[in-house]
Amino acid sequence: METATNPEVPLEGSPYDLRVSLGEKVSEPNIRSALESGDLGFVHSFTTGSAVDGPGVRIVAWLAGCQFRCVYCHNPDTWKMTNGMPVPLSRAVEQIQKYRHGLQTMKGGLTISGGEPLMQHRFVLKVFAAAKKMGVHTALDSNGYLGVRLSDADLTAIDLVLLDLKAMTPDLHRRYTGVDNQPIHQFARRLAAARKPIWVRFVLVPGWTDDMAEVERIAAFAAGLGNVERVDVLPFHQMGRFKWEKLGMDYQLKDAKPPSRETTDEAIARFRAAGLQAF
Ligand code: SF4
């Protein structure tokens, strides 16, 4: 199997780096076998020192591949799995090993994000299992749609789920992402039944997701779960705009502005009014 990584592209980087075609030399059969075994992952990059992707200071693995098509996605280069770098499991584990002491000292851990990490759930589970063995806290940052791929036993390797909730109204969710939101709600309820902590992430986009009645619906759903420890309202920004342009993709939000402080505070207040800790 082809497992060599491109020597010119470092594994460490930022999710705002544009990365394309790094895994395109891996053949179809080898991609299938990687997905089945979890011994090879397609990774956009690893970031160290993140303070915004879970508790403490963390290392974040950004995986390639996503089945959503969010209109406000800031990493459209992660939609295609073969844009990611083929990284053998052993190399991903080494990466965590390198930082394990620092992560423990800074009460952080490993977050696997994307793209959508559950597109490569076997790789994710193997990396999480290795992290747990090292005593490193694990967080899955997911859109939740493929939660059904995780068994109850698999959930034990995950300490925290950062769950992206984008809209409650089904038509709005389809408009923003291209897909239905029922599987996400089922996964959230399963996590609640398993008493697995969730941190909700909600991207606030003026003109799109800033209808406060809809924010209240999301807040009511999240509060009803009983396992949501925290909500982060993430103000939309344009740092991903250049990726849409470079990839020649139609970006509907090219003129959208970040939300004002007042609108962000208003959304936070709606989550707090539902009894949630929101920031
Ligand atoms: S789920 Fe995340 S990575 Fe996938 S399209 Fe939406 S914003 Fe982008």
Side-chain angles (χ1 to χ4, degrees):
M1 183 184 285
E2 299 129 282
T3 57
T5 51
N6 185 335
E8 287 158 29
V9 181
L11 193 50
E12 293 189 17
S14 151
Y16 296 108
D17 297 339
L18 177 70
R19 292 188 165 185
V20 291
S21 310
L22 300 177
E24 69 181 5
K25 289 201 179 131
V26 182
S27 65
E28 271 296 323
N30 284 345
I31 292 173
R32 272 200 299 279
S33 128
L35 292 175
E36 274 162 28
S37 69
D39 290 336
L40 179 73
F42 293 84
V43 180
H44 177 280
S45 55
F46 276 89
T47 300
T48 52
S50 165
V52 293
D53 295 293
V57 177
R58 309 184 71 84
I59 178 169
V60 185
W62 307 97
L63 266 50
C66 187
Q67 79 286 49
F68 280 27
R69 295 291 176 262
C70 298
V71 287
Y72 50 79
C73 182
H74 53 238
N75 288 317
D77 52 334
T78 64
W79 291 1
K80 198 169 156 200
M81 202 176 294
T82 52
N83 274 348
M85 195 181 310
V87 176
L89 176 66
S90 55
R91 186 156 178 223
V93 172
E94 269 168 33
Q95 194 72 8
I96 304 158
Q97 186 81 40
K98 206 158 75 173
Y99 296 105
R100 63 183 286 199
H101 295 301
L103 296 175
Q104 285 159 346
T105 310
M106 292 181 284
K107 300 196 184 328
L110 165 71
T111 298
I112 304 188
S113 183
E116 171 45 50
L118 295 183
M119 296 283 284
Q120 305 183 58
H121 70 293
R122 296 211 164 90
F123 179 72
V124 168
L125 289 169
K126 284 189 170 177
V127 174
F128 275 160
K132 294 296 292 173
K133 258 197 199 152
M134 293 177 218
V136 170
H137 178 275
T138 57
L140 173 74
D141 178 14
S142 172
N143 62 36
Y145 193 87
L146 297 174
V148 71
R149 289 187 173 182
L150 302 177
S151 69
D152 289 347
D154 292 337
L155 292 180
T156 59
I158 304 170
D159 294 315
L160 171 70
V161 176
L162 308 178
L163 186 66
D164 303 324
L165 294 181
K166 298 165 194 287
M168 285 307 290
T169 305
D171 282 351
L172 277 183
H173 196 272
R174 273 191 290 272
R175 188 168 152 228
Y176 298 162
T177 69
V179 300
D180 193 25
N181 56 7
Q182 279 313 307
I184 302 161
H185 299 167
Q186 280 158 14
F187 182 50
R189 291 195 188 97
R190 237 184 97 210
L191 293 171
R195 296 180 187 281
K196 189 66 62 185
I198 292 177
W199 287 15
V200 165
R201 311 185 112 187
F202 170 69
V203 181
L204 184 63
V205 193
W208 290 79
T209 68
D210 60 349
D211 171 3
M212 292 300 150
E214 185 66 9
V215 173
E216 280 176 9
R217 284 188 276 273
I218 297 172
F221 173 76
L225 292 170
N227 60 331
V228 173
E229 291 183 345
R230 162 184 180 123
V231 178
D232 286 294
V233 173
L234 309 174
F236 167 76
H237 56 70
Q238 286 286 14
M239 284 169 74
R241 176 176 164 162
F242 81 97
K243 290 192 178 189
W244 289 80
E245 287 166 0
K246 291 251 180 198
L247 293 168
M249 293 162 66
D250 178 29
Y251 184 40
Q252 296 184 62
L253 274 74
K254 54 179 176 298
D255 298 321
K257 302 264 180 285
S260 65
R261 186 66 247 179
E262 292 70 30
T263 309
T264 306
D265 286 345
E266 203 183 335
I268 291 171
R270 304 296 166 117
F271 284 105
R272 288 185 179 162
L276 295 159
Q277 296 239 45
F279 303 91

